[in-house]
Amino acid sequence: MFERLQEGIQSAVKTLRGKGRLTEANMADGLKLVEQSLLDADGSYAGVQDFMGKVKTKAMGEHVLVALDPSEHVIGIVRDELIDLLGPVDESLNLTNKVNVLMLCGLQGSGKTTTCGKLAKNILAAGGKPMLVAADLQRAAAISQLHVLGEQLDIPVFSDTEATDPVEVCRRGVAQAEEQGANVVILDTAGRLAIDQELMDELVRLDNRVQPHQVYLVVDGMTGQDAVNSSKSFNRIHLSFNF
């Protein structure tokens, strides 16, 4: 997305610099290239329109049109609006409980298990004592994958290859974490190829009976704007998702 946006901005700058005099008309032509690059990068139409509305309001200002180098002003405006749109972000996990239970969910193939390992590694590096719980009983290799990650990171993993109920696996995993002195439990839940009622019912049961303190929706970074639709579908089951 950002590579395409960069290309669009570069094209816009070339267009603006090629004009003998900058007017609202040719400024609009240059901004159209920025807008098109956002749409080509699979940006949400409504989101792009809102973003470009703010950019156009500032870029069409008289102080920009009469500036010595208006193209540089346009770059600054787009940059500032992107910074405002994407940040600032609070990256803290707010682990305030004696044992903090974090649940990761999402579609199959979105990277939940790998994210569990990355999250546990960061918590460990910050001085925490994480434990991973293999609650994905749908994908055959999920449990073994989580154990491999645990061994590589020297982080304990709770699993039960004979279990059929992910809720009981999570409850037992949390209980073992308390016994072993872990202060963060990360639940690796099952996904599906598409959002279905079975997946949602399982997550609702986990949320109600295990009561995780935080729930994270993991989405493939290449998904594009469809990630918004997925997040809305997951959010309908009233989980307190953190993005």
Side-chain angles (χ1 to χ4, degrees):
M1 175 178 181
F2 291 109
E3 182 177 346
R4 292 186 181 183
L5 178 57
Q6 182 181 22
E7 293 173 355
I9 293 176
Q10 289 174 343
S11 297
V13 170
K14 290 179 181 178
T15 298
L16 295 174
R17 283 178 174 168
K19 303 297 181 181
R21 184 174 66 88
L22 199 59
T23 65
E24 290 192 6
N26 51 41
M27 173 69 84
D29 290 339
L31 293 178
K32 191 68 177 178
L33 294 173
V34 177
E35 179 180 2
Q36 189 60 52
S37 66
L38 283 167
L39 293 173
D40 289 343
D42 201 24
S44 164
Y45 180 79
V48 171
Q49 293 301 304
D50 181 64
F51 176 82
M52 291 306 303
K54 296 176 181 178
V55 171
K56 288 176 182 177
T57 298
K58 294 182 179 180
M60 291 299 186
E62 184 177 352
H63 70 286
V64 175
L65 295 176
V66 300
L68 183 63
D69 192 346
S71 60
E72 294 298 327
H73 280 260
V74 173
I75 292 175
I77 291 170
V78 173
R79 179 201 61 205
D80 291 344
E81 288 300 321
L82 282 173
I83 292 174
D84 185 59
L85 176 66
L86 299 176
V89 177
D90 182 7
E91 298 180 353
S92 60
L93 294 176
N94 299 312
L95 305 175
T96 58
N97 299 281
K98 182 178 180 181
V99 178
N100 302 270
V101 181
L102 314 182
M103 183 169 79
L104 272 62
C105 57
L107 296 177
Q108 184 174 317
S110 61
K112 291 187 302 300
T113 303
T114 303
T115 301
C116 282
K118 292 178 179 179
L119 188 58
K121 181 180 179 180
N122 288 337
I123 292 171
L124 185 66
K129 297 182 64 177
M131 173 180 282
L132 301 170
V133 176
D136 183 353
L137 307 182
Q138 300 295 323
R139 186 166 62 91
I143 295 176
S144 59
Q145 181 184 355
L146 200 64
H147 274 285
V148 169
L149 289 172
E151 291 174 2
Q152 292 175 342
L153 300 171
D154 195 25
I155 294 173
V157 177
F158 176 84
S159 67
D160 183 352
T161 56
E162 302 298 323
T164 58
D165 185 359
V167 173
E168 288 305 311
V169 171
C170 289
R171 291 180 64 179
R172 289 164 52 202
V174 172
Q176 182 165 312
E178 293 175 346
E179 293 176 1
Q180 296 185 2
N183 69 334
V184 183
V185 183
I186 303 175
L187 311 178
D188 182 24
T189 67
R192 302 289 192 282
L193 293 176
I195 296 170
D196 59 20
Q197 194 59 46
E198 182 180 5
L199 170 62
M200 294 308 179
D201 289 345
E202 180 176 303
L203 291 175
V204 168
R205 288 197 305 119
L206 281 166
D207 188 54
N208 290 339
R209 297 184 60 187
V210 182
Q211 297 185 337
H213 300 102
Q214 299 181 40
V215 181
Y216 291 89
L217 175 63
V218 181
V219 180
D220 188 334
M222 298 299 291
T223 301
Q225 63 177 299
D226 191 53
V228 177
N229 299 327
S230 294
S231 64
K232 288 180 179 178
S233 296
F234 276 94
N235 203 44
R236 289 193 189 103
I237 63 177
H238 305 297
L239 293 174
S240 54
F241 287 122
N242 294 267
F243 295 94

